[in-house]
Amino acid sequence: MRGILYTLSAVFILITACTSGKMTPTPPAEAMLPLPDFDLEGHRGARGLLPENTIPAMLKALELGVTTLEMDAHISQDGQVLLSHDPYFNREHELLPTGEEIPKVNAKKYLLYQMPYSQIRTFDVGSKYYSKFPQQQLMKAYKPLLSEVIDSAQAYIKENNLPQVFYNIETKSKPSGDGKYHPAPEDFMDRLVAVIDEKKIRPYVIIQSFDPRTLQVLHRKHPDIKTSLLVENLKGLEKNLEQLGFTPNIYSPYAKLVTPALVEATHRYGIKIIPWTVNSLEEMQRLKALGVDGLISDYPDLYKKL
């Protein structure tokens, strides 16, 4: 009898899905993995301790026990997906291949989307002292491919018998940058998802962005991949969700915007709230007391104290 009921239920669900134009297909079970109860994310790996968005920074974050590696994605001229926050080499903390400073006059000259990855890889992004992060360990480093980061992280997890982590990948895009700093949203997402699927980590991926367009493309084409809306504006939850056009898995506001009312509202929508970027123990404690579902920090070493 129970088997008959299960069969009838399955048929009903299938018929409903086929007859409703608004219902998206149910994603496979392996893609429905829940997020951690409290998600501790290493911002750009462990930016406060090692050069941002590099493999050493990601491995350091894993060593410190994060549940999610947070990172930024850009696209090179030859279509490679690489890690970088800025769309160009940032003279504040990055150097020319010769080891020399990037002149002020060329501050935004070296655009990643206008350079092949083979050239991008020759720049040194870890040897220059970065005054904003005085604890950052200096080392020669380069902007890695996303595929390299995944391979390195997965190998480290296996070698050290660690729990599987999530990958929170930000698409660095905005409408004014299309064709100059990055490809259009559809092309950007196609290239990013191709790497994710090649490395077979789809169930462990979150795609986040300040740009609703990339999230909209992802939700339309790959509704099983988790999404996070990054927010630093004062429009409020309802208007931001209305602009996005669907309910994301995560709402990720600037930490100073988090209030008890915002936490309550996001939970009422069934959305997790994970603020950025939280770099003091006191602020972590304040936000956790408000009921947030995770934290994004440049200093994942503070999580042990939390």
Side-chain angles (χ1 to χ4, degrees), residues 30-165:
E30 66 268 18
M32 299 297 287
L33 295 176
L35 292 165
D37 290 336
F38 194 81
D39 192 13
L40 301 173
E41 302 197 16
H43 187 234
R44 309 184 199 178
R47 176 169 66 155
L49 307 173
L50 287 166
E52 64 179 56
N53 281 314
T54 62
I55 290 173
M58 297 298 160
L59 300 186
K60 185 65 176 180
L62 290 175
E63 177 191 326
L64 293 169
V66 300
T67 51
T68 294
L69 294 173
E70 193 271 356
M71 61 195 71
D72 304 296
H74 270 284
I75 309 294
S76 66
Q77 185 185 57
D78 51 347
Q80 301 295 305
V81 184
L82 65 133
L83 264 57
S84 179
H85 176 267
D86 300 300
Y88 48 81
F89 282 96
N90 189 330
R91 68 180 307 273
E92 277 195 276
H93 55 93
E94 297 174 340
L95 299 169
L96 294 169
T98 59
E100 297 174 295
E101 299 264 344
I102 298 172
K104 281 187 180 181
V105 68
N106 294 333
K108 297 183 180 181
K109 173 184 176 180
Y110 300 100
L111 297 178
L112 304 177
Y113 190 50
Q114 308 299 332
M115 302 168 66
Y117 180 69
S118 59
Q119 182 182 1
I120 291 170
R121 195 180 179 100
T122 63
F123 283 68
D124 183 356
V125 301
S127 296
K128 183 176 179 180
Y129 176 74
Y130 194 10
S131 59
K132 292 180 181 177
F133 298 96
Q135 296 179 43
Q136 196 178 90
Q137 180 183 343
L138 301 182
M139 61 174 61
K140 195 161 186 178
Y142 61 90
K143 293 183 185 291
L145 293 172
L146 174 61
S147 57
E148 288 182 275
V149 172
I150 295 167
D151 286 343
S152 298
Q154 291 301 121
Y156 187 90
I157 288 167
K158 184 176 181 180
E159 289 166 8
N160 293 276
N161 197 28
L162 298 176
Q164 178 61 50
V165 298

Side-chain angles (χ1 to χ4, degrees), residues 96-290:
L96 294 169
T98 59
E100 297 174 295
E101 299 264 344
I102 298 172
K104 281 187 180 181
V105 68
N106 294 333
K108 297 183 180 181
K109 173 184 176 180
Y110 300 100
L111 297 178
L112 304 177
Y113 190 50
Q114 308 299 332
M115 302 168 66
Y117 180 69
S118 59
Q119 182 182 1
I120 291 170
R121 195 180 179 100
T122 63
F123 283 68
D124 183 356
V125 301
S127 296
K128 183 176 179 180
Y129 176 74
Y130 194 10
S131 59
K132 292 180 181 177
F133 298 96
Q135 296 179 43
Q136 196 178 90
Q137 180 183 343
L138 301 182
M139 61 174 61
K140 195 161 186 178
Y142 61 90
K143 293 183 185 291
L145 293 172
L146 174 61
S147 57
E148 288 182 275
V149 172
I150 295 167
D151 286 343
S152 298
Q154 291 301 121
Y156 187 90
I157 288 167
K158 184 176 181 180
E159 289 166 8
N160 293 276
N161 197 28
L162 298 176
Q164 178 61 50
V165 298
F166 282 82
Y167 294 85
N168 188 5
I169 306 167
E170 181 180 347
T171 57
K172 302 301 294 184
S173 65
K174 56 184 178 181
S176 62
D178 288 355
K180 179 181 180 182
Y181 294 138
H182 50 75
E186 190 105 10
D187 187 16
F188 199 137
M189 293 314 307
D190 285 349
R191 293 183 185 280
L192 180 54
V193 172
V195 176
I196 290 166
D197 285 344
E198 178 192 349
K199 296 303 175 183
K200 298 180 171 58
I201 61 163
R202 183 182 281 234
Y204 311 112
V205 167
I206 305 158
I207 302 298
Q208 65 175 359
S209 191
F210 289 102
D211 185 355
R213 302 175 307 153
T214 53
L215 298 182
Q216 289 160 353
V217 169
L218 184 74
H219 183 68
R220 172 170 53 84
K221 299 181 74 170
H222 308 282
D224 57 306
I225 297 180
K226 296 176 179 65
T227 52
S228 176
L229 180 62
L230 287 163
V231 174
E232 58 182 344
N233 62 61
L234 299 175
K235 295 177 183 177
L237 176 66
E238 286 74 16
K239 287 193 175 180
N240 280 316
L241 293 182
E242 182 181 348
Q243 181 183 6
L244 182 62
F246 68 93
T247 304
N249 301 91
I250 300 167
Y251 191 76
S252 191
Y254 176 49
K256 301 300 182 186
L257 298 177
V258 178
T259 63
L262 179 58
V263 174
E264 181 183 350
T266 53
H267 288 166
R268 192 164 58 244
Y269 276 96
I271 305 170
K272 287 183 176 286
I273 179 168
I274 302 177
W276 55 273
T277 303
V278 190
N279 284 344
S280 74
L281 184 59
E282 294 75 21
E283 184 73 348
M284 289 180 180
Q285 291 168 334
R286 180 187 76 83
L287 290 164
K288 192 170 185 184
L290 289 180

